Amino acid sequence: MNITLKQAEKIIKAAKEKSIELDTKMNISVVDSGANLLAFARMDGAWLGSADISLKKAKTARFFDMNSGAIGELSQPGGPLYNIEHSNGGLISFPGGVPIKNEQGDIIGAIGVSGSTVENDHTVAEAGALAL
């Protein structure tokens, strides 16, 4: 099971619409089930440094099949995943990465969004993930 380019484009479109609604400029990455980049959009004026962060958020969400913010909660000092962000070539352990599921509930990819507050990043990522 894998996300298609057509699905990824629909997800990016929904994420961009939510970003515009929130008056933010985002970098949006969609990865397939193997955590490989499938689609990317950098909105006009979005921070250049957030491009890499959006991809790492998407990969984090797919590697562990949970929101990147949930990894952050588990990776605090004394937590069961403390220092996990140093694995896999670098993870992002704050909100903005969300797994993408098909109609059957199978994870087929993930979206990562960066460019605003972590709350806005998560809201935009969730809007994209729910577009399917």
Side-chain angles (χ1 to χ4, degrees):
M1 291 161 275
N2 209 1
I3 190 169
T4 66
L5 178 59
K6 184 176 181 178
Q7 290 171 315
E9 289 170 338
K10 181 177 183 178
I11 289 164
I12 285 181
K13 182 178 186 282
K16 284 176 20 183
E17 288 171 356
K18 180 56 87 172
S19 181
I20 291 166
E21 179 184 317
L22 295 172
D23 194 28
T24 63
K25 299 171 179 87
M26 299 289 196
N27 289 278
I28 306 161
S29 295
V30 176
V31 297
D32 63 17
S33 60
N36 303 296
L37 183 63
L38 179 61
F40 173 79
R42 179 174 172 250
M43 296 174 69
D44 293 340
W47 294 328
L48 185 58
S50 289
D52 181 59
I53 294 170
S54 73
L55 178 57
K56 286 182 179 176
K57 285 181 181 183
K59 287 183 172 192
T60 299
R62 178 57 191 114
F63 285 158
F64 299 99
D65 293 338
M66 66 178 76
N67 292 347
S68 58
I71 294 287
E73 292 173 15
L74 297 169
S75 65
Q76 296 302 305
L81 299 180
Y82 183 58
N83 278 330
I84 194 169
E85 65 273 9
H86 301 292
S87 71
N88 295 288
L91 302 175
I92 298 293
S93 57
F94 46 87
V98 176
I100 298 168
K101 298 178 181 180
N102 64 14
E103 291 177 356
Q104 292 75 37
D106 302 311
I107 295 175
I108 58 172
I111 181 173
V113 175
S114 183
S116 183
T117 65
V118 292
E119 294 82 10
N120 282 346
D121 290 357
H122 178 76
T123 298
V124 171
E126 196 168 58
L130 294 174
L132 292 186

